[in-house]
């Protein structure tokens, strides 16, 4: 039986130990800072925050290009010549990365592409679902595995509160006035993935400790999440007491496995320090 290899982008924020455990291949996206192009993952996230503190500017981000995908797929094939590649990509609604993968894949046989319509923990949840399905059934036909993954894509639910309105403002995602009003009223927007698009859906007032708890309870009320696995996403700077409280609520609500995922460069560039998010798969 030919071996199936899973791949995704760095924007999935897939923890390194899990990528290694399931042999998921990760292609880096890009962060542009001070005129230099950094591969996502090669730049400490703290450097992004330090750069903002110095300049009041945020870095820009760019997609993995088609040539990089060609080299990425070629390397996988070089290491596993008879492999079948299933690539689970960052939402095409927020990046050109997936389309670039489509272009590159035309040069190869037996490369399946799935638009996950999600980012960070929401994308990681789909990738890890696929990895566990493959682990349970290593002889599964690739077409069948693709079907299973595509069926789970709309069931992956992600919601998060950015750590800083200043980062959203600096990135052009909110107006100066909206940022000022939000800061004065201590309003924190909730960002969700809707049909692959990042959308502000709710607003919470007060400190992150209270806002994160409200977000979690709203999330549980809105979605019937499978209690087998839950993912929490955080950016550097989130208070440890908030993490402890989220763990408590998760256990109170019957979640059996809880995994914290640190937001990498792509997400941190847009959300700022101290952000919090939740991802899981609906039943």
């Amino acid at each position: 039986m030919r071996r199936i290899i899973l791949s995704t982008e760095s924007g999935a924020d897939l923890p390194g130990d899990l990528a290694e455990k399931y042999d998921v291949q990760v292609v880096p996206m890009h962060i542009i800072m001070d005129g230099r192009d950094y591969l996502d993952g090669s730049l400490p996230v703290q450097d992004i925050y330090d750069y903002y503190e110095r300049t009041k500017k945020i870095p820009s981000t760019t997609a993995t290009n088609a040539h990089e995908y060609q080299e990425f797929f070629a390397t996988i094939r070089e290491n596993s010549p008879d492999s079948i590649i299933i690539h689970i990509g960052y939402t095409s609604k927020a990046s050109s990365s997936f389309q670039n993968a489509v272009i590159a894949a035309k040069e190869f046989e037996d490369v399946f592409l799935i638009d996950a319509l999600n980012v960070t923990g929401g994308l990681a949840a789909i990738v890890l679902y696929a990895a566990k399905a493959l682990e349970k059934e290593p002889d599964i036909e690739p077409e069948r595995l693709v079907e299973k993954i595509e069926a789970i894509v709309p069931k992956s639910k992600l919601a998060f509160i950015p750590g800083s309105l200043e980062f959203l403002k600096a990135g052009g995602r909110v107006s100066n006035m909206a940022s000022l009003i939000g800061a004065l009223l201590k309003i924190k927007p909730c960002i969700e993935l809707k049909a692959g698009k990042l959308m502000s859906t709710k607003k919470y007032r007060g400190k992150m400790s209270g806002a994160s708890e409200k977000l979690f309870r709203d999330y549980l009320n809105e979605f019937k999440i499978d209690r087998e696995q839950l993912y929490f996403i955080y950016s550097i700077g989130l208070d440890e007491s908030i993490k402890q409280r989220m763990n408590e609520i998760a256990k109170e609500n019957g979640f059996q496995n809880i995994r914290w995922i640190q937001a990498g460069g792509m997400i941190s560039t847009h959300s700022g320090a101290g952000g919090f998010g939740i991802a899981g798969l609906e039943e």
Side-chain angles (χ1 to χ4, degrees):
M1 189 72 184
R2 296 173 63 188
R3 183 184 177 202
I4 296 174
I5 294 178
L6 302 174
S7 66
T8 191
E9 286 98 354
S10 61
D13 292 331
L14 186 65
D17 63 315
L18 295 180
E20 182 177 353
K21 176 181 179 179
Y22 295 110
D23 195 25
V24 178
Q25 302 302 300
V26 180
V27 63
M29 301 170 91
H30 295 262
I31 298 169
I32 313 298
M33 189 171 76
D34 260 345
R36 291 185 58 187
D37 186 332
Y38 296 89
L39 293 177
D40 185 22
S42 69
L43 179 71
V45 172
Q46 188 60 49
D47 287 4
I48 294 171
Y49 301 146
D50 293 343
Y51 174 74
Y52 174 75
E53 288 301 318
R54 292 196 313 270
T55 66
K56 299 305 175 186
K57 298 177 182 178
I58 63 169
S60 58
T61 57
T62 59
T64 307
N65 63 47
H67 177 67
E68 289 170 317
Y69 274 113
Q70 288 175 341
E71 292 187 331
F72 178 64
F73 294 144
T75 299
I76 293 174
R77 278 288 162 71
E78 183 178 338
N79 294 330
S80 299
D82 201 32
S83 62
I84 295 167
I85 301 170
I86 298 179
H87 180 75
I88 306 169
Y90 194 95
T91 177
S92 63
K93 306 297 184 181
S95 171
S96 61
S97 190
F98 186 76
Q99 184 56 40
N100 292 338
V102 172
I103 294 169
K106 293 177 181 178
E107 304 295 322
F108 301 87
E109 293 183 354
D110 295 326
V111 175
F112 296 85
L113 302 173
I114 299 170
D115 184 352
L117 297 173
N118 224 308
V119 302
T120 187
L123 172 52
I126 297 169
V127 173
L128 291 168
Y129 166 85
K132 292 172 185 177
L134 183 57
E135 182 182 52
K136 289 179 182 177
E137 196 175 349
D139 293 333
I140 189 172
E141 291 293 332
E143 293 83 1
R144 175 58 183 148
L145 182 56
V146 168
E147 288 177 1
K148 289 171 71 74
I149 299 168
E150 289 178 337
I152 210 71
V153 164
K155 295 184 178 183
S156 180
K157 303 301 179 182
L158 169 69
F160 68 93
I161 300 174
S164 171
L165 282 174
E166 287 298 308
F167 264 59
L168 292 177
K169 181 183 75 174
R173 287 167 175 78
V174 296
S175 68
N176 285 353
M177 181 59 71
S179 176
L180 176 60
I181 292 172
L184 290 173
L185 297 178
K186 295 184 178 179
I187 291 175
K188 295 175 173 57
C190 167
I191 309 297
E192 295 184 56
L193 265 289
K194 299 289 187 181
K197 297 180 181 179
L198 292 159
M199 301 180 67
S200 177
T201 57
K202 304 180 187 72
K203 293 182 175 65
Y204 299 105
R205 185 175 295 183
K207 296 180 180 179
M208 180 60 87
S209 56
S212 58
E213 187 163 338
K214 291 175 186 175
L215 170 66
F216 193 7
R217 296 198 184 281
D218 284 348
Y219 181 87
L220 293 178
N221 286 333
E222 184 174 356
F223 306 116
K224 191 176 181 181
I225 300 298
D226 188 339
R227 264 38 182 186
E228 172 65 25
Q229 180 70 61
L230 185 70
Y231 301 97
F232 287 133
I233 305 100
Y234 73 100
S235 49
I236 292 174
L238 184 68
D239 194 278
E240 286 298 320
S241 64
I242 295 176
K243 292 184 179 181
Q244 292 173 8
R245 181 58 183 147
M246 295 304 102
N247 284 338
E248 289 172 0
I249 297 173
K251 289 175 182 176
E252 288 169 3
N253 281 275
F255 285 98
Q256 299 175 39
N257 298 291
I258 303 160
R259 177 69 191 233
W260 284 88
I261 295 175
Q262 181 184 318
M266 284 293 293
I267 301 301
S268 297
T269 292
H270 302 300
S271 69
F276 169 73
I278 312 163
L281 301 176
E282 284 194 299
E283 296 176 347

